[in-house]
Amino acid sequence: MVTEEKFAYLQTSLPVLLVLLKSKKMEADNQDPVKKELEECQGYHYSQSSNVSSLSRNIVYGIIGTSWVLIYANGSYHQPCTWLIIALGLSFVYLLLDLTHYFSDSCSYRREYFRLDRDQKTEGILYRHEEYMDGVSKRSFHLLIAKFVCVLMIAVIFVIGILRQLEIF
């Protein structure tokens, strides 16, 4: 049962509690755009680089598989030409580059997510967030270009290797 003293206390405390609740909500609202921007940026980057990397990875796996078929056909080992060996080696370099790309981006996004969570009330957080994400995006873009160039080189060397292995060229 609520006594008169408790009722009076609640009446005087209620405005203070409402102000505290509102200020907590405002802090959360101020943080939400930052996290939303991070998630939006991360989602866009992930979808684009994921599509490019998936396609490139499938091409590299196809090159590795085809090289295996050309080198080890009909149950016996055939001496591969140098071009196929180079294409095979570069394919593994590509897979390592792909792994490095995803590992570095995952670490960067994780670091930024925890920094945003830690520095919620810090002034200038949006500016630092944008600056940091610009750096991550630039690095990721350079890695995507390197992966694309690597796949092009592998494809050209692989075609030359197939032609040499089949003694067409």
Side-chain angles (χ1 to χ4, degrees):
M1 178 124 199
V2 178
T3 62
E4 284 186 50
E5 291 176 355
K6 287 182 181 177
F7 184 73
Y9 175 75
L10 286 175
Q11 280 183 324
T12 58
S13 300
L14 194 57
V16 173
L17 290 173
L18 288 175
V19 167
L20 286 174
L21 288 173
K22 269 188 172 177
S23 66
K24 292 271 188 203
K25 185 179 185 307
M26 287 173 62
E27 288 174 10
D29 288 345
N30 287 341
Q31 184 59 25
D32 286 344
V34 175
K35 284 189 179 182
K36 183 179 178 183
E37 185 174 325
L38 175 63
E39 290 168 2
E40 182 180 310
C41 181
Q42 183 178 9
Y44 176 78
H45 166 75
Y46 178 76
S47 68
Q48 295 304 311
S49 76
S50 172
N51 292 338
V52 170
S53 291
S54 179
L55 180 62
S56 300
R57 202 175 306 119
N58 287 335
I59 291 169
V60 168
Y61 288 150
I63 289 172
I64 291 171
T66 305
S67 296
W68 175 254
V69 168
L70 291 173
I71 293 170
Y72 190 78
N74 298 327
S76 64
Y77 175 76
H78 300 280
Q79 182 64 34
C81 72
T82 307
W83 292 97
L84 278 180
I85 293 172
I86 292 171
L88 197 57
L90 284 176
S91 295
F92 290 113
V93 168
Y94 171 83
L95 293 175
L96 181 63
L97 185 61
D98 192 41
L99 180 65
T100 302
H101 180 206
Y102 279 107
F103 182 75
S104 66
D105 280 357
S106 295
C107 289
S108 297
Y109 287 119
R110 178 177 165 78
R111 178 178 176 258
E112 182 66 0
Y113 182 81
F114 285 115
R115 190 181 68 78
L116 285 173
D117 191 42
R118 183 191 69 224
D119 297 341
Q120 290 180 32
K121 299 172 189 157
T122 307
E123 285 294 316
I125 190 169
L126 284 175
Y127 175 76
R128 284 194 308 272
H129 167 71
E130 287 178 19
E131 191 175 272
Y132 179 77
M133 292 311 296
D134 286 346
V136 170
S137 178
K138 186 181 285 187
R139 181 192 66 220
S140 186
F141 180 70
H142 288 116
L143 283 170
L144 277 173
I145 289 174
K147 287 169 32 177
F148 181 73
V149 168
C150 191
V151 167
L152 284 178
M153 285 178 18
I154 292 169
V156 168
I157 292 170
F158 178 69
V159 168
I160 293 170
I162 287 178
L163 295 175
R164 292 285 187 152
Q165 188 73 20
L166 300 175
E167 297 176 355
I168 296 173
F169 176 65

